[in-house]
Amino acid sequence: MKFLYFSDTHIRSTTPRHRLDDFKESLYEAFVEIRNIGIENDVDFYIHGGDLVDRPDVPIFTIRQFAKVMQSFEKPIFFVPGNHDIFGYNVNSLNRTAIALLHDFSLITIMRDNSPICFTLKDTSVALHSASFSRDLDTDIGRGAYIVNKKLADFDIMIAHGMLLAKKFELINHTLVDEIKHTKADLTLSGHYHTGFELINYEGKLFYNPGSIARLEASEIELTRRPKVIVVELNKGENINIKDVYLRSAKKGEDILDRNSIIEEKIANERFEYEKEKIKSIQFEKMLNFDDILRELEKNEAIEDNVKAKAIELLDEVQNNPDE
């Protein structure tokens, strides 16, 4: 049994401001190539890891264009909803989106988190589990959604659209592979984090995010990253075989990404880190009340005025609404 996995295509009508090419045309070429890779490798089905579209109300004329190429895939496409596919991070809003239309016309099969899809092909059984995006997925409340608690087939595969990472990441909620390595899934594939991470093998259990098909932002990483899909082969009684296939249609980052934006982002990030360290240097824990904190902020000349103003505004809000 073979399948092809890809994720985060972000179908949209317009070109992101950091792209120099025609994004929709480039993405269409990628879909055609992905179909062809599937045919060349004789895959039995495709899996999309979420964020098929960039917004749930993508214009009809755009979704029609991509629906036609998806129709030519010929084999089933299983799909787990991402945050860009739904309204307000609510997976129950799917029935109001372009995704529902694709499902109704059998171009994709939407995976339901509490109902694994189980089937057998060529004497090999597989159970496809899913964890759709939610606000709680990468918190203590919802992290259990990544876990497969009971094996149902020769190969149990979890498809998750969440911030699953190999290393810690500051400022945002995320889940480390180490936190879910007790899962009974033989393979856990994730989307959402566009950069992806390398294949991890923990006692025979595999964890992988090959990265996004779409490159929406101009960054040093996206400048060199090559979009790819993976072809996964499953043979009963054997180890899982995963093959990376880089997209030939994906142009070099230096040809499609605005270098000026990359420089601006780098300067902005450095400035942010500088301001963050300055604020962290203030010993708030030694202050007795909000007035002390405000005075310390106001007299600190190293912090820019607009940063001071925002900090004071937030402190004042907390002081006036202590129960919120």
PDB file of all heavy atoms in Angstrom, residues 112-124:
ATOM      1  N   ARG A 112     -12.793  12.757  10.300  1.00  0.00           N
ATOM      2  CA  ARG A 112     -13.431  13.143  11.554  1.00  0.00           C
ATOM      3  C   ARG A 112     -12.582  12.642  12.718  1.00  0.00           C
ATOM      4  O   ARG A 112     -12.229  11.460  12.770  1.00  0.00           O
ATOM      5  CB  ARG A 112     -14.842  12.557  11.634  1.00  0.00           C
ATOM      6  CG  ARG A 112     -15.719  12.906  10.437  1.00  0.00           C
ATOM      7  CD  ARG A 112     -16.012  14.387  10.344  1.00  0.00           C
ATOM      8  NE  ARG A 112     -16.830  14.712   9.175  1.00  0.00           N
ATOM      9  CZ  ARG A 112     -17.208  15.950   8.851  1.00  0.00           C
ATOM     10  NH1 ARG A 112     -16.841  16.965   9.609  1.00  0.00           N
ATOM     11  NH2 ARG A 112     -17.946  16.174   7.773  1.00  0.00           N
ATOM     12  N   ASP A 113     -12.288  13.513  13.653  1.00  0.00           N
ATOM     13  CA  ASP A 113     -11.306  13.210  14.698  1.00  0.00           C
ATOM     14  C   ASP A 113     -11.655  11.988  15.540  1.00  0.00           C
ATOM     15  O   ASP A 113     -10.767  11.269  15.976  1.00  0.00           O
ATOM     16  CB  ASP A 113     -11.117  14.429  15.602  1.00  0.00           C
ATOM     17  CG  ASP A 113     -10.496  15.600  14.856  1.00  0.00           C
ATOM     18  OD1 ASP A 113     -10.051  15.389  13.714  1.00  0.00           O
ATOM     19  OD2 ASP A 113     -10.460  16.709  15.406  1.00  0.00           O
ATOM     20  N   ASN A 114     -12.912  11.769  15.792  1.00  0.00           N
ATOM     21  CA  ASN A 114     -13.307  10.658  16.667  1.00  0.00           C
ATOM     22  C   ASN A 114     -13.721   9.402  15.898  1.00  0.00           C
ATOM     23  O   ASN A 114     -14.226   8.448  16.495  1.00  0.00           O
ATOM     24  CB  ASN A 114     -14.449  11.108  17.586  1.00  0.00           C
ATOM     25  CG  ASN A 114     -14.022  12.230  18.516  1.00  0.00           C
ATOM     26  OD1 ASN A 114     -12.926  12.211  19.048  1.00  0.00           O
ATOM     27  ND2 ASN A 114     -14.891  13.215  18.688  1.00  0.00           N
ATOM     28  N   SER A 115     -13.514   9.423  14.582  1.00  0.00           N
ATOM     29  CA  SER A 115     -13.918   8.273  13.761  1.00  0.00           C
ATOM     30  C   SER A 115     -12.808   7.906  12.780  1.00  0.00           C
ATOM     31  O   SER A 115     -12.804   8.363  11.633  1.00  0.00           O
ATOM     32  CB  SER A 115     -15.204   8.601  12.986  1.00  0.00           C
ATOM     33  OG  SER A 115     -16.252   8.943  13.866  1.00  0.00           O
ATOM     34  N   PRO A 116     -11.845   7.102  13.211  1.00  0.00           N
ATOM     35  CA  PRO A 116     -10.751   6.697  12.315  1.00  0.00           C
ATOM     36  C   PRO A 116     -11.298   5.994  11.068  1.00  0.00           C
ATOM     37  O   PRO A 116     -12.315   5.305  11.119  1.00  0.00           O
ATOM     38  CB  PRO A 116      -9.932   5.727  13.175  1.00  0.00           C
ATOM     39  CG  PRO A 116     -10.285   6.073  14.587  1.00  0.00           C
ATOM     40  CD  PRO A 116     -11.716   6.516  14.552  1.00  0.00           C
ATOM     41  N   ILE A 117     -10.606   6.222   9.961  1.00  0.00           N
ATOM     42  CA  ILE A 117     -10.971   5.561   8.706  1.00  0.00           C
ATOM     43  C   ILE A 117     -10.120   4.305   8.582  1.00  0.00           C
ATOM     44  O   ILE A 117      -8.892   4.375   8.524  1.00  0.00           O
ATOM     45  CB  ILE A 117     -10.738   6.494   7.505  1.00  0.00           C
ATOM     46  CG1 ILE A 117     -11.617   7.743   7.631  1.00  0.00           C
ATOM     47  CG2 ILE A 117     -11.017   5.766   6.195  1.00  0.00           C
ATOM     48  CD1 ILE A 117     -11.336   8.798   6.580  1.00  0.00           C
ATOM     49  N   CYS A 118     -10.764   3.148   8.559  1.00  0.00           N
ATOM     50  CA  CYS A 118     -10.048   1.869   8.529  1.00  0.00           C
ATOM     51  C   CYS A 118     -10.373   1.119   7.240  1.00  0.00           C
ATOM     52  O   CYS A 118     -11.532   1.051   6.840  1.00  0.00           O
ATOM     53  CB  CYS A 118     -10.428   1.008   9.731  1.00  0.00           C
ATOM     54  SG  CYS A 118     -10.121   1.775  11.335  1.00  0.00           S
ATOM     55  N   PHE A 119      -9.358   0.591   6.599  1.00  0.00           N
ATOM     56  CA  PHE A 119      -9.583  -0.219   5.401  1.00  0.00           C
ATOM     57  C   PHE A 119      -8.369  -1.107   5.152  1.00  0.00           C
ATOM     58  O   PHE A 119      -7.302  -0.939   5.758  1.00  0.00           O
ATOM     59  CB  PHE A 119      -9.862   0.669   4.179  1.00  0.00           C
ATOM     60  CG  PHE A 119      -8.824   1.716   3.912  1.00  0.00           C
ATOM     61  CD1 PHE A 119      -7.730   1.456   3.098  1.00  0.00           C
ATOM     62  CD2 PHE A 119      -8.940   2.992   4.472  1.00  0.00           C
ATOM     63  CE1 PHE A 119      -6.778   2.428   2.841  1.00  0.00           C
ATOM     64  CE2 PHE A 119      -7.987   3.975   4.221  1.00  0.00           C
ATOM     65  CZ  PHE A 119      -6.906   3.689   3.405  1.00  0.00           C
ATOM     66  N   THR A 120      -8.531  -2.058   4.250  1.00  0.00           N
ATOM     67  CA  THR A 120      -7.467  -2.999   3.906  1.00  0.00           C
ATOM     68  C   THR A 120      -7.250  -2.995   2.400  1.00  0.00           C
ATOM     69  O   THR A 120      -8.213  -3.047   1.625  1.00  0.00           O
ATOM     70  CB  THR A 120      -7.820  -4.430   4.364  1.00  0.00           C
ATOM     71  OG1 THR A 120      -7.988  -4.439   5.786  1.00  0.00           O
ATOM     72  CG2 THR A 120      -6.709  -5.411   3.989  1.00  0.00           C
ATOM     73  N   LEU A 121      -5.991  -2.888   2.002  1.00  0.00           N
ATOM     74  CA  LEU A 121      -5.619  -2.962   0.602  1.00  0.00           C
ATOM     75  C   LEU A 121      -4.420  -3.884   0.474  1.00  0.00           C
ATOM     76  O   LEU A 121      -3.462  -3.781   1.257  1.00  0.00           O
ATOM     77  CB  LEU A 121      -5.243  -1.575   0.057  1.00  0.00           C
ATOM     78  CG  LEU A 121      -6.365  -0.559  -0.210  1.00  0.00           C
ATOM     79  CD1 LEU A 121      -5.766   0.780  -0.621  1.00  0.00           C
ATOM     80  CD2 LEU A 121      -7.317  -1.059  -1.281  1.00  0.00           C
ATOM     81  N   LYS A 122      -4.479  -4.784  -0.482  1.00  0.00           N
ATOM     82  CA  LYS A 122      -3.329  -5.654  -0.767  1.00  0.00           C
ATOM     83  C   LYS A 122      -2.832  -6.364   0.498  1.00  0.00           C
ATOM     84  O   LYS A 122      -1.636  -6.400   0.789  1.00  0.00           O
ATOM     85  CB  LYS A 122      -2.207  -4.837  -1.403  1.00  0.00           C
ATOM     86  CG  LYS A 122      -2.634  -4.092  -2.663  1.00  0.00           C
ATOM     87  CD  LYS A 122      -1.606  -3.069  -3.117  1.00  0.00           C
ATOM     88  CE  LYS A 122      -2.152  -2.234  -4.266  1.00  0.00           C
ATOM     89  NZ  LYS A 122      -1.235  -1.148  -4.669  1.00  0.00           N
ATOM     90  N   ASP A 123      -3.772  -6.869   1.277  1.00  0.00           N
ATOM     91  CA  ASP A 123      -3.484  -7.639   2.504  1.00  0.00           C
ATOM     92  C   ASP A 123      -2.866  -6.805   3.626  1.00  0.00           C
ATOM     93  O   ASP A 123      -2.387  -7.350   4.617  1.00  0.00           O
ATOM     94  CB  ASP A 123      -2.562  -8.833   2.198  1.00  0.00           C
ATOM     95  CG  ASP A 123      -3.227  -9.828   1.261  1.00  0.00           C
ATOM     96  OD1 ASP A 123      -4.451  -9.998   1.369  1.00  0.00           O
ATOM     97  OD2 ASP A 123      -2.525 -10.414   0.416  1.00  0.00           O
ATOM     98  N   THR A 124      -2.857  -5.482   3.473  1.00  0.00           N
ATOM     99  CA  THR A 124      -2.316  -4.607   4.511  1.00  0.00           C
ATOM    100  C   THR A 124      -3.425  -3.696   5.010  1.00  0.00           C
ATOM    101  O   THR A 124      -4.096  -3.038   4.214  1.00  0.00           O
ATOM    102  CB  THR A 124      -1.148  -3.755   3.972  1.00  0.00           C
ATOM    103  OG1 THR A 124      -0.111  -4.614   3.505  1.00  0.00           O
ATOM    104  CG2 THR A 124      -0.596  -2.841   5.045  1.00  0.00           C
TER     105      THR A 124
END
